[in-house]
Amino acid sequence: MNTLVLSAEDKNKESAYELLKNGEIVAIPTETVYGLAANGLNVSAVKKIFEAKGRPQDNPLILHISSIDMLKEIAAYIPPIALRLADTFWPGPLTMIFPKRAVIPSETCGGLDTVAVRMPNNRFTLSLIEKCGFPLAAPSANTSGLPSPTAAKHVYEDMKGKIPLIIDGGECKFGVESTVITFENDERLRILRPGGVTAEMLREYANVVIDDGVLMKIDPDIKVLSPGMKYKHYSPKADVFILNGSTENIIAFLSDRDSSLKIAYLGYGNESLGGNIITVPYGETSEEQAEHLFSGLRMCDELECDEVYVRMPEKKGMGLAVYNRLLRSAGFRVIEL
């Protein structure tokens, strides 16, 4: 099929709405990454998402809403703490998991009896959801397993000929997917996937537990509540490795690599190793690293690199989200120097 790219202007909202209303899929911008959207209450539309992405059927989708009223239509129970968090962090990069109502198809939730929901902080997408009147299921708009798209050109690279429309809203602000939480009680919540709403932010409202799956490999037979927990994700075609050590040790390690290999290094800021190592921008702060991580990994594929080495980020604040994505991109291969 022909894939059209339109700007995120009000005049193009009708085109996206007509496709979504008729059970088609559309790539939409959000503040985190681009999403591959469909009517989350329409089984055949949801199946098109899985087909276009090549996504495992047991990997649940997140429903995107435009109002608390819409949340009440799909969540069977909303804890009081969830409303307090929504009042603070919505619209924004926070996904909350609730018991689902029967109106939500099993296919949308990966066969679970819960539903993951968030309100994206993007003017065009919020108004599009409001116009549709139904929640949009919208995982990242990339081929499953590849780095998530933070620009419309990334979506086009993966989805050209597979979807009818991409809405170009420019580059995404956060660069990694939303934080996903579940509630253990009204005073305690569990982070299943870290993101732009950090554990430190959430601790102002509740006791916070970091799920083991954030930093550890999940058994393939276990059903997970959140996307991004179970499978290898966010990975370029090249082999990715995380390096934990000083600049001097990193230089020494990489200088011993096979000179016939094309090697890329994602370091802090403008850090450059010289020699035959290709330096790819990564960022000095955790926020910059999150913003540029996926585009940097995609650049490594454009450069046809054989191996990619990334310097380990901090494991606090946004750094936890960056490290979580890197672990899955690298298949949990961490080299201690």
Side-chain angles (χ1 to χ4, degrees), residues 2-22:
N2 181 46
T3 300
L4 186 64
V5 180
L6 297 176
S7 61
E9 298 178 76
D10 288 340
K11 65 181 181 180
N12 295 323
K13 191 188 307 177
E14 188 67 27
S15 298
Y17 166 69
E18 286 297 326
L19 287 166
L20 292 165
K21 182 183 68 172
N22 292 314

Side-chain angles (χ1 to χ4, degrees), residues 287-330:
E287 288 75 18
E288 290 173 348
Q289 291 164 4
E291 183 180 355
H292 300 299
L293 175 62
F294 291 145
S295 59
L297 291 175
R298 282 181 174 265
M299 186 184 298
C300 294
D301 273 348
E302 292 174 14
L303 296 170
E304 298 182 336
C305 295
D306 299 302
E307 294 180 345
V308 178
Y309 293 88
V310 188
R311 187 165 187 169
M312 181 182 288
E314 291 187 316
K315 299 177 189 177
K316 60 183 180 179
M318 278 292 283
L320 182 64
V322 177
Y323 186 52
N324 168 265
R325 304 313 191 272
L326 277 174
L327 280 173
R328 280 148 181 82
S329 176

Side-chain angles (χ1 to χ4, degrees), residues 116-255:
V117 186
R118 90 175 186 99
M119 188 184 296
N121 190 9
N122 180 280
R123 185 193 62 80
F124 179 91
T125 295
L126 274 178
S127 63
L128 175 61
I129 299 169
E130 185 175 0
K131 183 175 179 64
C132 287
F134 48 75
L136 296 181
S140 54
N142 59 302
T143 300
S144 189
L146 295 182
S148 298
T150 56
K153 67 177 183 178
H154 301 155
V155 182
Y156 193 76
E157 289 168 2
D158 286 13
M159 293 292 146
K160 179 183 178 182
K162 298 179 182 179
I163 64 175
L165 178 62
I166 299 169
I167 297 295
D168 186 351
E171 293 190 4
C172 300
K173 175 183 176 183
F174 284 93
V176 295
E177 297 82 356
S178 61
T179 303
V180 179
I181 63 172
T182 188
F183 301 101
E184 299 192 345
N185 53 52
D186 199 43
E187 296 180 351
R188 181 182 172 99
L189 59 86
R190 180 177 295 271
I191 294 178
L192 303 179
R193 183 181 74 184
V197 176
T198 66
E200 291 81 358
M201 295 176 184
L202 291 168
R203 285 192 179 108
E204 295 185 17
Y205 299 86
N207 295 321
V208 175
V209 177
I210 309 295
D211 192 85
D212 288 344
V214 168
L215 298 177
M216 295 172 58
K217 189 179 294 187
I218 296 290
D219 189 292
D221 295 328
I222 292 177
K223 270 199 169 186
V224 294
L225 295 176
S226 168
M229 292 186 73
K230 188 174 180 180
Y231 297 97
K232 185 179 180 182
H233 282 293
Y234 323 117
S235 189
K237 296 172 185 174
D239 289 327
V240 178
F241 303 86
I242 300 170
L243 297 179
N244 186 26
S246 66
T247 300
E248 292 76 14
N249 287 341
I250 289 173
I251 291 174
F253 173 80
L254 292 181
S255 64

Side-chain angles (χ1 to χ4, degrees), residues 107-119:
E107 288 82 356
T108 300
C109 303
L112 301 170
D113 58 4
T114 56
V115 60
V117 186
R118 90 175 186 99
M119 188 184 296

